[in-house]
Structure formats: structure tokens, C-alpha cells
Amino acid sequence: MRARKVPAAALADIADAEWVDTSRRPYVEGGIAWVPVREGYSADEDLPEREAYRGRGYHLIGDVAVVHGDAPTEEELAAIVEHCRPRGVVWVKGFSSEMRIPDVEILYGTAGEVRHREQGCTFFLDPTRVMFAQGNRNEKARIAALVRPGERIADMFAGIGYFTIPAAMSGARVHAMEINPIAFEYLQRNIMANHVRGRAAGELGDCRELLSGVYDRVLMGHFDAPSMLADALVHVREGSVLHVHSIGDVSETIRERVGEAGFSAAVTSRRVKKYGPHAWHMVQDVTIS
């Protein structure tokens, strides 16, 4: 790996530099970061390729590693630290209430606020205080690709902006609603950080009470979304598209709710990721007619 040597404390400052190969992760040790370099730019050293990691799954959010599910063993934790050299490792045991507040334990190092880069977007967050749906990476990219400039979009469960920001960067006008005050503060900050203030407007409160007017697209990125379909369907028209997240396929329920609202719809179901034994996180694309 061709790399440049920089102080680890400077990683955030050079994250957007033209020479940085963002498809690969920096290697950090003892306060020094070896940052991968794109072809055509000079490097300080050519490091040997590291062995493929085959240990316990984790997500690296900024410089903090996050694990879900059962607590990792000491061996699994040591392997994660050895592989990605994080500032800290956080175990997310689950989420509580409609505000999706994480129940966490710091297993190694320190945690706190991070600056996370993903697919050209910047997200500020504290993974010990708010949820970050990194497992939805492909779904976020898909939505960004589907969005057309000028669309009016409702993001009913905006969180820190993981769907709002890519959609706004694709040219949509996004009404982003979030009920958790901490997540809302990060949403507002991320709108500013990604320079989409003119296309994304955040609003704090219950999305069922904040929906207004008619939307071209409605993002319903919460597992309770099917129970709120009636609220969303008041604000659509023929040609509007809803993206309804759920555990398991809820296509029939959606068709029933759409019919009750006086519409019909074409419904396509997609698997996002495995949620548990015999259970999938699904998204249903619902085109109103």
C-alpha cells in the first residue's frame, strides 16, 4: 500500500485531500497515521499489504469501532483493536424508545464525537448517544441514485441525516423530521457540514405532526414505519414513491393501507440486511397510482 506519514491528530483535516485514497483505511499506530495515496500522487513509503481480517464483525464509525449483538470475547476484542487501531471500541447492546437511544458499553479506549466520511458525505455524531445506520450503506446509495433534482422529499425518521444528506446532495428538497433532540442537533450540523442548507430543512418533533403538503418521495426508515402509513398517505399523489422499512415483508399490509387511503400501488420488496435468525430488514418501494 502506497502511503503518506501524517500525525494521527491530522486525519480529520486531510480527509478531503485530493491525494487521499478514500477506498482504503489509514493505518494508525503510536500517534502516526499511514494514509493510503491515490495513483498519480507521491507517497512516503510502500507498506506491505495486510492480511485479510476474518474476525468478529464490526463497523468503524470515524475512529471508533462499533459491535452489535452478543458481547465480543476478549480474543475478538483484541483482534478488532489489532486490525483497525481504533480510538475506542463500543458495544451497542440495543436501542430503546421511539428515539432509538443506544444502550452502550465502552469496551476499549475512549469514545465520543466522531467525524465519519461515507460515499462523499460527512457525518458528525457520537455513536454512544445516537444511532448510525452504517449497515444501510447500499440502501443510502440506492436512494441517492433514485432521487431526481427538484423532488420534494419527506424524511420522516431523519436521525443525523443518513438519508437526508445523500438525497439533498442529489438535488432533492428534503423536509427532514427527527424526534430525538440529540440526533436533531447532529442533523442540523451535518446539513451545514455538507453544504446542503438550501436543499434540506430539519424540523424537531413527531413526524406524524410535521408532515405538510404533498411529497414526490417519502422515506420511512424506521421499523415502525408500516404503522404510520396512514399518516404518510395523506401527503402523496399519483406518482409519489414511498420507501417503507420493516422487519420482514409487509407488502400485503401496505396494499391494504394504500387501498384504505383511496389509492392503488405497485409494491416491490428488497432485502437490506440480515436482522436476525430467519428475519430480514426489508424495504418496500411503493409507487402510488
Side-chain angles (χ1 to χ4, degrees), residues 253-274:
T253 298
I254 291 172
R255 291 189 178 92
E256 290 175 9
R257 299 294 175 270
V258 169
E260 291 166 1
F263 297 107
S264 59
V267 182
T268 303
S269 296
R270 300 173 55 89
R271 289 178 172 180
V272 177
K273 62 180 183 290
K274 195 73 179 288

mmCIF file of all heavy atoms in Angstrom, residues 253-274:
data_model
loop_
_atom_site.group_PDB
_atom_site.id
_atom_site.type_symbol
_atom_site.label_atom_id
_atom_site.label_comp_id
_atom_site.label_asym_id
_atom_site.label_seq_id
_atom_site.Cartn_x
_atom_site.Cartn_y
_atom_site.Cartn_z
ATOM 1 N N THR A 253 -49.796 -5.741 3.892
ATOM 2 C CA THR A 253 -50.248 -4.677 4.793
ATOM 3 C C THR A 253 -50.215 -3.331 4.091
ATOM 4 O O THR A 253 -51.142 -2.514 4.232
ATOM 5 C CB THR A 253 -49.350 -4.628 6.051
ATOM 6 O OG1 THR A 253 -49.460 -5.863 6.747
ATOM 7 C CG2 THR A 253 -49.757 -3.493 6.969
ATOM 8 N N ILE A 254 -49.157 -3.088 3.333
ATOM 9 C CA ILE A 254 -49.043 -1.822 2.605
ATOM 10 C C ILE A 254 -50.180 -1.672 1.601
ATOM 11 O O ILE A 254 -50.812 -0.605 1.514
ATOM 12 C CB ILE A 254 -47.675 -1.735 1.899
ATOM 13 C CG1 ILE A 254 -46.560 -1.601 2.933
ATOM 14 C CG2 ILE A 254 -47.642 -0.573 0.911
ATOM 15 C CD1 ILE A 254 -45.163 -1.692 2.367
ATOM 16 N N ARG A 255 -50.458 -2.719 0.834
ATOM 17 C CA ARG A 255 -51.548 -2.647 -0.158
ATOM 18 C C ARG A 255 -52.885 -2.351 0.520
ATOM 19 O O ARG A 255 -53.713 -1.595 -0.019
ATOM 20 C CB ARG A 255 -51.616 -3.941 -0.963
ATOM 21 C CG ARG A 255 -50.427 -4.141 -1.905
ATOM 22 C CD ARG A 255 -50.639 -5.327 -2.832
ATOM 23 N NE ARG A 255 -49.517 -5.484 -3.746
ATOM 24 C CZ ARG A 255 -48.459 -6.257 -3.509
ATOM 25 N NH1 ARG A 255 -48.398 -6.962 -2.372
ATOM 26 N NH2 ARG A 255 -47.473 -6.332 -4.388
ATOM 27 N N GLU A 256 -53.104 -2.949 1.682
ATOM 28 C CA GLU A 256 -54.355 -2.689 2.420
ATOM 29 C C GLU A 256 -54.452 -1.227 2.832
ATOM 30 O O GLU A 256 -55.491 -0.594 2.653
ATOM 31 C CB GLU A 256 -54.428 -3.582 3.657
ATOM 32 C CG GLU A 256 -54.647 -5.053 3.352
ATOM 33 C CD GLU A 256 -54.594 -5.902 4.612
ATOM 34 O OE1 GLU A 256 -54.561 -5.307 5.715
ATOM 35 O OE2 GLU A 256 -54.593 -7.144 4.493
ATOM 36 N N ARG A 257 -53.356 -0.675 3.386
ATOM 37 C CA ARG A 257 -53.370 0.723 3.838
ATOM 38 C C ARG A 257 -53.504 1.676 2.656
ATOM 39 O O ARG A 257 -54.203 2.694 2.747
ATOM 40 C CB ARG A 257 -52.080 1.030 4.621
ATOM 41 C CG ARG A 257 -51.879 0.204 5.868
ATOM 42 C CD ARG A 257 -52.921 0.508 6.932
ATOM 43 N NE ARG A 257 -52.764 -0.382 8.065
ATOM 44 C CZ ARG A 257 -53.374 -1.554 8.178
ATOM 45 N NH1 ARG A 257 -54.194 -1.963 7.225
ATOM 46 N NH2 ARG A 257 -53.186 -2.312 9.238
ATOM 47 N N VAL A 258 -52.843 1.360 1.557
ATOM 48 C CA VAL A 258 -52.950 2.205 0.363
ATOM 49 C C VAL A 258 -54.385 2.200 -0.156
ATOM 50 O O VAL A 258 -54.939 3.249 -0.523
ATOM 51 C CB VAL A 258 -51.962 1.722 -0.720
ATOM 52 C CG1 VAL A 258 -52.246 2.413 -2.056
ATOM 53 C CG2 VAL A 258 -50.515 1.982 -0.297
ATOM 54 N N GLY A 259 -55.019 1.027 -0.176
ATOM 55 C CA GLY A 259 -56.410 0.933 -0.606
ATOM 56 C C GLY A 259 -57.338 1.724 0.289
ATOM 57 O O GLY A 259 -58.276 2.388 -0.190
ATOM 58 N N GLU A 260 -57.107 1.650 1.596
ATOM 59 C CA GLU A 260 -57.936 2.405 2.542
ATOM 60 C C GLU A 260 -57.812 3.909 2.331
ATOM 61 O O GLU A 260 -58.751 4.666 2.636
ATOM 62 C CB GLU A 260 -57.540 2.044 3.974
ATOM 63 C CG GLU A 260 -57.902 0.620 4.366
ATOM 64 C CD GLU A 260 -57.213 0.173 5.648
ATOM 65 O OE1 GLU A 260 -56.468 0.988 6.235
ATOM 66 O OE2 GLU A 260 -57.423 -0.981 6.070
ATOM 67 N N ALA A 261 -56.670 4.349 1.805
ATOM 68 C CA ALA A 261 -56.458 5.775 1.545
ATOM 69 C C ALA A 261 -57.002 6.201 0.189
ATOM 70 O O ALA A 261 -56.900 7.384 -0.174
ATOM 71 C CB ALA A 261 -54.964 6.090 1.627
ATOM 72 N N GLY A 262 -57.564 5.255 -0.573
ATOM 73 C CA GLY A 262 -58.162 5.586 -1.855
ATOM 74 C C GLY A 262 -57.237 5.497 -3.034
ATOM 75 O O GLY A 262 -57.555 5.987 -4.124
ATOM 76 N N PHE A 263 -56.085 4.847 -2.860
ATOM 77 C CA PHE A 263 -55.123 4.685 -3.942
ATOM 78 C C PHE A 263 -54.930 3.207 -4.245
ATOM 79 O O PHE A 263 -55.412 2.328 -3.526
ATOM 80 C CB PHE A 263 -53.754 5.274 -3.545
ATOM 81 C CG PHE A 263 -53.726 6.741 -3.279
ATOM 82 C CD1 PHE A 263 -53.606 7.218 -1.973
ATOM 83 C CD2 PHE A 263 -53.786 7.648 -4.315
ATOM 84 C CE1 PHE A 263 -53.559 8.577 -1.715
ATOM 85 C CE2 PHE A 263 -53.737 9.018 -4.074
ATOM 86 C CZ PHE A 263 -53.632 9.484 -2.761
ATOM 87 N N SER A 264 -54.173 2.937 -5.290
ATOM 88 C CA SER A 264 -53.594 1.618 -5.527
ATOM 89 C C SER A 264 -52.090 1.828 -5.660
ATOM 90 O O SER A 264 -51.626 2.970 -5.761
ATOM 91 C CB SER A 264 -54.175 0.965 -6.787
ATOM 92 O OG SER A 264 -53.936 1.773 -7.925
ATOM 93 N N ALA A 265 -51.332 0.739 -5.649
ATOM 94 C CA ALA A 265 -49.883 0.907 -5.682
ATOM 95 C C ALA A 265 -49.190 -0.327 -6.210
ATOM 96 O O ALA A 265 -49.669 -1.449 -6.044
ATOM 97 C CB ALA A 265 -49.354 1.233 -4.290
ATOM 98 N N ALA A 266 -48.035 -0.109 -6.849
ATOM 99 C CA ALA A 266 -47.114 -1.189 -7.189
ATOM 100 C C ALA A 266 -46.095 -1.276 -6.064
ATOM 101 O O ALA A 266 -45.511 -0.262 -5.670
ATOM 102 C CB ALA A 266 -46.421 -0.889 -8.514
ATOM 103 N N VAL A 267 -45.912 -2.475 -5.517
ATOM 104 C CA VAL A 267 -45.030 -2.656 -4.368
ATOM 105 C C VAL A 267 -43.921 -3.640 -4.732
ATOM 106 O O VAL A 267 -44.193 -4.751 -5.191
ATOM 107 C CB VAL A 267 -45.800 -3.183 -3.138
ATOM 108 C CG1 VAL A 267 -44.856 -3.320 -1.945
ATOM 109 C CG2 VAL A 267 -46.971 -2.267 -2.799
ATOM 110 N N THR A 268 -42.687 -3.217 -4.533
ATOM 111 C CA THR A 268 -41.522 -4.073 -4.762
ATOM 112 C C THR A 268 -40.739 -4.188 -3.465
ATOM 113 O O THR A 268 -40.399 -3.171 -2.847
ATOM 114 C CB THR A 268 -40.612 -3.488 -5.854
ATOM 115 O OG1 THR A 268 -41.359 -3.302 -7.053
ATOM 116 C CG2 THR A 268 -39.436 -4.413 -6.125
ATOM 117 N N SER A 269 -40.453 -5.418 -3.026
ATOM 118 C CA SER A 269 -39.736 -5.646 -1.769
ATOM 119 C C SER A 269 -38.264 -5.940 -2.031
ATOM 120 O O SER A 269 -37.926 -6.637 -2.978
ATOM 121 C CB SER A 269 -40.360 -6.816 -1.002
ATOM 122 O OG SER A 269 -41.682 -6.504 -0.623
ATOM 123 N N ARG A 270 -37.414 -5.420 -1.167
ATOM 124 C CA ARG A 270 -35.975 -5.633 -1.280
ATOM 125 C C ARG A 270 -35.410 -5.976 0.096
ATOM 126 O O ARG A 270 -35.841 -5.417 1.108
ATOM 127 C CB ARG A 270 -35.267 -4.363 -1.780
ATOM 128 C CG ARG A 270 -35.700 -3.865 -3.118
ATOM 129 C CD ARG A 270 -35.051 -2.515 -3.424
ATOM 130 N NE ARG A 270 -33.607 -2.577 -3.322
ATOM 131 C CZ ARG A 270 -32.806 -2.909 -4.335
ATOM 132 N NH1 ARG A 270 -33.324 -3.208 -5.517
ATOM 133 N NH2 ARG A 270 -31.501 -2.930 -4.182
ATOM 134 N N ARG A 271 -34.431 -6.871 0.144
ATOM 135 C CA ARG A 271 -33.713 -7.153 1.372
ATOM 136 C C ARG A 271 -32.583 -6.138 1.547
ATOM 137 O O ARG A 271 -31.801 -5.919 0.628
ATOM 138 C CB ARG A 271 -33.141 -8.569 1.354
ATOM 139 C CG ARG A 271 -34.197 -9.663 1.479
ATOM 140 C CD ARG A 271 -33.555 -11.033 1.410
ATOM 141 N NE ARG A 271 -34.509 -12.088 1.703
ATOM 142 C CZ ARG A 271 -34.225 -13.392 1.705
ATOM 143 N NH1 ARG A 271 -32.981 -13.792 1.421
ATOM 144 N NH2 ARG A 271 -35.153 -14.280 2.006
ATOM 145 N N VAL A 272 -32.505 -5.562 2.734
ATOM 146 C CA VAL A 272 -31.431 -4.619 3.042
ATOM 147 C C VAL A 272 -30.273 -5.353 3.707
ATOM 148 O O VAL A 272 -29.132 -5.279 3.265
ATOM 149 C CB VAL A 272 -31.943 -3.478 3.944
ATOM 150 C CG1 VAL A 272 -30.798 -2.534 4.325
ATOM 151 C CG2 VAL A 272 -33.049 -2.698 3.219
ATOM 152 N N LYS A 273 -30.569 -6.061 4.810
ATOM 153 C CA LYS A 273 -29.530 -6.840 5.501
ATOM 154 C C LYS A 273 -30.204 -7.831 6.439
ATOM 155 O O LYS A 273 -31.382 -7.686 6.783
ATOM 156 C CB LYS A 273 -28.575 -5.931 6.276
ATOM 157 C CG LYS A 273 -29.224 -5.125 7.391
ATOM 158 C CD LYS A 273 -28.195 -4.269 8.081
ATOM 159 C CE LYS A 273 -28.778 -3.484 9.255
ATOM 160 N NZ LYS A 273 -29.688 -2.407 8.819
ATOM 161 N N LYS A 274 -29.454 -8.815 6.853
ATOM 162 C CA LYS A 274 -29.964 -9.806 7.805
ATOM 163 C C LYS A 274 -30.157 -9.139 9.158
ATOM 164 O O LYS A 274 -29.265 -8.436 9.644
ATOM 165 C CB LYS A 274 -28.983 -10.972 7.918
ATOM 166 C CG LYS A 274 -29.550 -12.215 8.583
ATOM 167 C CD LYS A 274 -30.527 -12.934 7.663
ATOM 168 C CE LYS A 274 -31.088 -14.198 8.299
ATOM 169 N NZ LYS A 274 -30.093 -15.285 8.374
#
